[in-house]
Amino acid sequence: MNQISGGVCAAQGYSAAGTHCGLKKEKPDLALIYSTVPAQAAATYTTNVVKAAPLHVTKRHLSDGGLQAVVVNSGNANACAPDGEENALAMCHYTAKALGIPTEQVAVSSTGVIGVSMTPKMGLVQMGITTLAGQLADTEQAADSAARAIMTTDLTKKEVAVALTLGGKPVRIGGMAKGSGMIHPNMGTMLGFLTTDAAISSPLLEKALQQAVTRTFNRISVDGDTSTNDFCLIMANGLAENPAITTENADYEVFLDTLTILCTHLARLIAADGEGATHLITCTVQHAPDEDIATAVAKSVISSALVKSAIFGQDANWGRILCAAGYSGADFDPETVTISFASEVGEIVVCKNGQGVDFDEDQAFQILAPFEVEIHIDMAQGTAASTCWGCDLTYEYVKINGEYRT
Amino acid sequence: MNQISGGVCAAQGYSAAGTHCGLKKEKPDLALIYSTVPAQAAATYTTNVVKAAPLHVTKRHLSDGGLQAVVVNSGNANACAPDGEENALAMCHYTAKALGIPTEQVAVSSTGVIGVSMTPKMGLVQMGITTLAGQLADTEQAADSAARAIMTTDLTKKEVAVALTLGGKPVRIGGMAKGSGMIHPNMGTMLGFLTTDAAISSPLLEKALQQAVTRTFNRISVDGDTSTNDFCLIMANGLAENPAITTENADYEVFLDTLTILCTHLARLIAADGEGATHLITCTVQHAPDEDIATAVAKSVISSALVKSAIFGQDANWGRILCAAGYSGADFDPETVTISFASEVGEIVVCKNGQGVDFDEDQAFQILAPFEVEIHIDMAQGTAASTCWGCDLTYEYVKINGEYRT
């Protein structure tokens, strides 16, 4: 497996485009991904009972497992707004018409402010979609343009692509994602779009996406808020002509592992770009009784406002970590737990058997200085492990979210 | 029922004291409450699986339902620290010896930094307890002194007392609390100490405390973190000589209602003193299918970092409120929900039937200016209601918790 360039256009048969249609003042706000042939598709949706209109429409269009295009806007979430479903469906119509494909072959996704009707701007959106259809290209630049058009408060574009071999054939998987605030483990907790030329059956594509998302996007937290619009989509158009994956064979395992690596990469990019973040925090729990317990503990730690504030201050306040593990809902014995901090600077054990150990505070402060820091929790209570990702809580997060609409 | 002064010394037979023993650099850090006669006692404890040593010791001492004194220190949580139980038990021993009562009649509670051994300072603690025993007084000043000695990052002292009549006899209930960070609905989520001269059986005292705590302290959130040390204790020494409450009669109802009002007062003081808070947020959910759903929705709203940041910015961002309700875990129909903001300035409806309505942003900004602001959620799906309290998320919260130990 090699990392390659090209994002969502890396795999055969996919083209993309991004533009500014007018939902935002100046920045790009509309993206399109298109497969020259119908693709198998699978998706995961937010667990929030308040679901944005585009998700309802997309779910219907995906019910037969096939898809040829996805249109995405930023600047308006089209959630809790009048005429939400009509406008989401209209976006599919415009896209289908511009591409000459059936409306049911188009997925739609939105991100931005909740509760503002898109109706006054649907004319602009329609013109934007026509523009995009004309600009479609299978280049690195086109993928970059699409990845930028789905950003909201994101500071960095989030793209990835890899090449692998399945059944002797070269296969590619690419992806783009967005997410910076309102990010919390549960479903996708962001927008993610993956494209591959692999040949794989619809049920197994669905299963692979679920498995990959569970261990990656569902394990990041920026602020504990689960959005109304979270959505992750994968399209597989089969143009690589590998022997189609129809059982959970060795090829499926390779595909799943690769997909998980890609999603991990995008998930880390989202956590690292958490609103106001000055640290990417990776929390790894080892030797847990089972994976659910390991995940509950790791999630609770990276979600704790007190832990996040401490990392911002480079404060090795392990008591808050053990405390967060304690209220995670997981049942465990705190008296066998060891906690250490690590980064490129080094590693330091701060708690053994549930109690503090003497450690060099200056050294710990230095270890917590780099952008990427790790919290290691060894439970000594089994063989399961889990990793979650988050970011620190900073003045800037409060500033961004106190002033978002104003 | 009248509000009176005197805090934990308001009821007959209780004396208190507070002092500085040396756990903190300068501020008071040790408090004692004493009943001249043995009292019935009941308590609620943190739900965190990591429990501080004093809670284990206190639970044992409370197993027979009787108590005569409680000693409390701030500056050290005595949690996840070597010799925790030995030191907690020693604090009971010292107190018992100084007061001439059995060790089992003493409860102990601690708050402060996690993971630091108290052993090096136990000599100071012992001297402090002797000092306290000599200073015990049943005055307003003594209660004030005790209430100040349990503060950590609290900016305001938290005290309350009321007089009522039970079975024709004047009865008093007083209380003090502390809590500012690491506050989240679950058990007490803070320290609370209540004293009354009412005559009430141990089982009913226990029941009344549980009921009151569930609807008050368990409904506040500052930062979503549930402490290792949360604890709420009530003592009832019977000196009011009211007909003893031994069944859930009318007197019990009056006692419970009064206790709930007292706990609400203390809970609101804690939420209002949330670390860095510039707003006390009260979220009331009405017309819910049941109280659990109403509480889940209200808790989720006041716990949302995005809602808390919006209130800090006086931003009427109701979409984040509906979104937080949606991921609360409660199952409901978002399409009948109405949301409004209110304060002493006025009230404004911002969302009807799950969708935004046109409203005057300037007016909303003005309504969100006062310290106390309210979020009203009308679900139109039943008859149940619930209220939760929280505070906004500010730069100052991050500052306090990024620098706590340093």
Side-chain angles (χ1 to χ4, degrees):
Chain A
M1 189 195 77
N2 304 314
Q3 191 157 351
I4 57 175
S5 59
V8 291
C9 294
Q12 289 181 67
Y14 292 96
S15 52
T19 190
H20 170 255
C21 75
L23 289 164
K24 293 183 192 166
K25 275 179 199 157
E26 291 179 355
K27 292 184 179 169
D29 52 18
L30 200 64
L32 179 63
I33 305 173
Y34 171 65
S35 172
T36 51
V37 298
Q40 299 295 337
T44 57
Y45 305 84
T46 184
T47 55
N48 198 312
V49 303
V50 181
K51 286 181 176 60
L55 297 193
H56 293 294
V57 172
T58 294
K59 213 165 188 172
R60 285 202 300 273
H61 290 186
L62 269 177
S63 57
D64 67 348
L67 207 67
Q68 204 163 348
V70 53
V71 60
V72 191
N73 74 275
S74 56
N76 189 322
N78 193 14
C80 315
D83 306 322
E85 290 217 14
E86 289 82 342
N87 291 330
L89 192 58
M91 287 176 69
C92 295
H93 276 308
Y94 301 150
T95 306
K97 202 175 159 195
L99 297 172
I101 58 175
T103 301
E104 294 68 32
Q105 288 285 304
V106 183
V108 57
S109 169
S110 302
T111 177
V113 183
I114 300 174
V116 176
S117 174
M118 289 188 70
T119 305
K121 297 204 171 172
M122 282 307 288
L124 296 173
V125 172
Q126 184 174 9
M127 284 191 286
I129 288 172
T130 308
T131 304
L132 285 179
Q135 289 177 345
L136 281 174
D138 61 359
T139 60
E140 237 174 87
Q141 291 70 27
D144 173 273
S145 173
R148 290 186 189 281
I150 63 172
M151 289 164 62
T152 55
T153 52
D154 302 62
L155 296 179
T156 61
K157 175 192 71 163
K158 296 164 186 74
E159 257 194 321
V160 67
V162 295
L164 67 157
T165 305
L166 285 178
K169 296 279 186 178
V171 168
R172 289 171 170 198
I173 314 179
M176 65 181 192
K178 66 84 44 178
S180 178
M182 214 183 259
I183 302 294
H184 189 66
N186 243 329
M187 183 344 258
T189 66
M190 28 48 74
L191 300 186
F193 303 95
L194 298 149
T195 52
T196 179
D197 44 24
I200 179 169
S201 72
S202 180
L204 287 179
L205 186 65
E206 175 97 33
K207 184 165 191 179
L209 183 68
Q210 289 289 355
Q211 288 183 293
V213 166
T214 299
R215 291 188 168 172
T216 57
F217 293 125
N218 282 2
R219 291 190 179 167
I220 56 175
S221 178
V222 168
D223 54 19
D225 283 68
T226 301
S227 159
T228 51
N229 290 55
D230 296 338
F231 180 59
C232 185
L233 174 77
I234 185 165
M235 294 168 74
N237 66 12
L239 291 180
E241 296 186 335
N242 58 299
I245 301 172
T246 54
T247 61
E248 292 183 48
N249 57 10
D251 280 355
Y252 176 79
E253 291 304 323
V254 172
F255 182 78
L256 172 60
D257 288 349
T258 309
L259 190 61
T260 304
I261 290 167
L262 253 75
C263 290
T264 301
H265 184 87
L266 291 172
R268 282 173 56 96
L269 285 177
I270 290 173
D273 194 19
E275 287 174 346
T278 64
H279 284 93
L280 168 64
I281 308 171
T282 300
C283 180
T284 302
V285 175
Q286 287 180 297
H287 300 116
D290 61 51
E291 190 173 338
D292 285 349
I293 288 178
T295 304
V297 167
K299 263 190 197 175
S300 187
V301 169
I302 53 133
S303 302
S304 159
L306 287 171
V307 171
K308 289 152 63 78
S309 299
I311 298 295
F312 172 58
Q314 294 174 231
D315 179 2
N317 199 325
W318 61 269
R320 293 180 182 172
I321 293 169
L322 192 55
C323 179
Y327 65 71
S328 65
D331 191 22
F332 68 94
D333 178 4
E335 297 190 359
T336 65
V337 173
T338 295
I339 299 172
S340 54
F341 291 99
S343 73
E344 62 192 27
V345 175
E347 176 156 7
I348 190 164
V349 175
V350 290
C351 166
K352 263 188 191 165
N353 298 325
Q355 298 189 343
V357 295
D358 278 333
F359 65 90
D360 182 337
E361 291 271 2
D362 288 342
Q363 193 193 345
F365 186 83
Q366 292 310 320
I367 286 171
L368 293 176
F371 181 76
E372 292 195 23
V373 300
E374 294 175 16
I375 299 170
H376 296 164
I377 301 176
D378 190 326
M379 299 182 76
Q381 290 169 43
T383 56
S386 182
T387 300
C388 289
W389 299 272
C391 62
D392 55 349
L393 177 61
T394 68
Y395 304 132
E396 200 57 22
Y397 176 86
V398 178
K399 183 156 191 277
I400 292 166
N401 287 298
E403 300 173 355
Y404 183 51
R405 297 189 322 153
T406 47
Chain B
M1 189 196 77
N2 304 314
Q3 190 157 351
I4 57 175
S5 60
V8 291
C9 294
Q12 290 181 66
Y14 292 96
S15 52
T19 190
H20 171 256
C21 76
L23 288 165
K24 292 183 192 166
K25 275 178 197 158
E26 289 177 355
K27 292 183 179 169
D29 53 16
L30 201 64
L32 180 63
I33 305 173
Y34 172 65
S35 171
T36 51
V37 297
Q40 299 296 336
T44 57
Y45 306 85
T46 183
T47 53
N48 198 311
V49 304
V50 181
K51 287 182 175 60
L55 296 193
H56 292 295
V57 172
T58 293
K59 211 165 189 171
R60 285 203 300 274
H61 289 185
L62 269 177
S63 57
D64 66 351
L67 207 67
Q68 205 164 348
V70 53
V71 59
V72 191
N73 73 275
S74 56
N76 188 320
N78 193 15
C80 315
D83 307 323
E85 290 219 14
E86 289 83 339
N87 290 331
L89 192 58
M91 287 177 67
C92 295
H93 275 308
Y94 302 149
T95 305
K97 203 175 159 194
L99 297 171
I101 58 174
T103 301
E104 293 70 31
Q105 288 285 305
V106 183
V108 57
S109 170
S110 302
T111 176
V113 183
I114 300 173
V116 176
S117 174
M118 291 189 69
T119 305
K121 297 206 171 170
M122 282 307 289
L124 296 172
V125 171
Q126 184 174 10
M127 284 191 289
I129 288 172
T130 308
T131 303
L132 285 179
Q135 288 177 346
L136 280 174
D138 60 1
T139 61
E140 237 174 88
Q141 291 70 28
D144 173 273
S145 173
R148 289 184 189 282
I150 64 172
M151 290 163 62
T152 56
T153 51
D154 303 62
L155 296 179
T156 61
K157 175 193 74 163
K158 296 165 187 73
E159 258 192 321
V160 67
V162 294
L164 67 157
T165 306
L166 285 178
K169 295 281 187 177
V171 168
R172 290 171 169 198
I173 315 178
M176 65 183 192
K178 67 84 44 178
S180 179
M182 215 184 259
I183 302 293
H184 190 65
N186 244 329
M187 186 340 262
T189 65
M190 30 48 73
L191 300 185
F193 302 95
L194 297 149
T195 53
T196 178
D197 43 24
I200 180 169
S201 73
S202 180
L204 287 179
L205 186 66
E206 176 97 31
K207 183 164 189 177
L209 183 68
Q210 289 289 356
Q211 288 183 293
V213 166
T214 299
R215 291 189 168 174
T216 58
F217 293 124
N218 282 3
R219 291 189 179 170
I220 56 175
S221 178
V222 168
D223 53 18
D225 283 67
T226 301
S227 157
T228 51
N229 289 56
D230 296 337
F231 180 58
C232 185
L233 175 77
I234 185 165
M235 295 168 73
N237 65 15
L239 292 180
E241 296 187 333
N242 58 299
I245 301 172
T246 54
T247 61
E248 291 183 48
N249 57 12
D251 281 358
Y252 175 79
E253 290 304 323
V254 172
F255 182 79
L256 172 60
D257 288 348
T258 310
L259 190 61
T260 304
I261 291 168
L262 253 78
C263 290
T264 300
H265 183 89
L266 291 172
R268 282 173 57 96
L269 286 177
I270 290 173
D273 194 20
E275 287 173 349
T278 65
H279 284 94
L280 168 64
I281 308 170
T282 301
C283 180
T284 302
V285 175
Q286 288 181 298
H287 300 117
D290 61 50
E291 190 174 338
D292 285 349
I293 287 178
T295 304
V297 167
K299 264 191 199 177
S300 187
V301 169
I302 53 136
S303 302
S304 158
L306 287 171
V307 172
K308 289 151 64 78
S309 299
I311 299 294
F312 172 58
Q314 295 174 228
D315 179 3
N317 199 325
W318 61 268
R320 293 180 182 172
I321 293 170
L322 191 57
C323 179
Y327 65 72
S328 65
D331 191 21
F332 68 95
D333 178 4
E335 296 189 358
T336 66
V337 173
T338 294
I339 299 172
S340 55
F341 291 100
S343 73
E344 61 192 30
V345 175
E347 176 155 8
I348 190 165
V349 175
V350 290
C351 167
K352 263 189 191 165
N353 298 325
Q355 297 190 342
V357 295
D358 278 332
F359 64 91
D360 182 339
E361 292 272 1
D362 288 342
Q363 192 193 347
F365 187 83
Q366 293 309 321
I367 285 170
L368 293 176
F371 181 75
E372 293 195 22
V373 299
E374 294 175 17
I375 298 169
H376 296 165
I377 301 176
D378 189 327
M379 298 182 76
Q381 290 170 42
T383 57
S386 181
T387 300
C388 290
W389 299 272
C391 62
D392 56 348
L393 176 61
T394 68
Y395 303 133
E396 200 58 24
Y397 175 87
V398 179
K399 183 157 192 275
I400 291 167
N401 289 297
E403 300 174 354
Y404 184 51
R405 298 189 322 153
T406 47

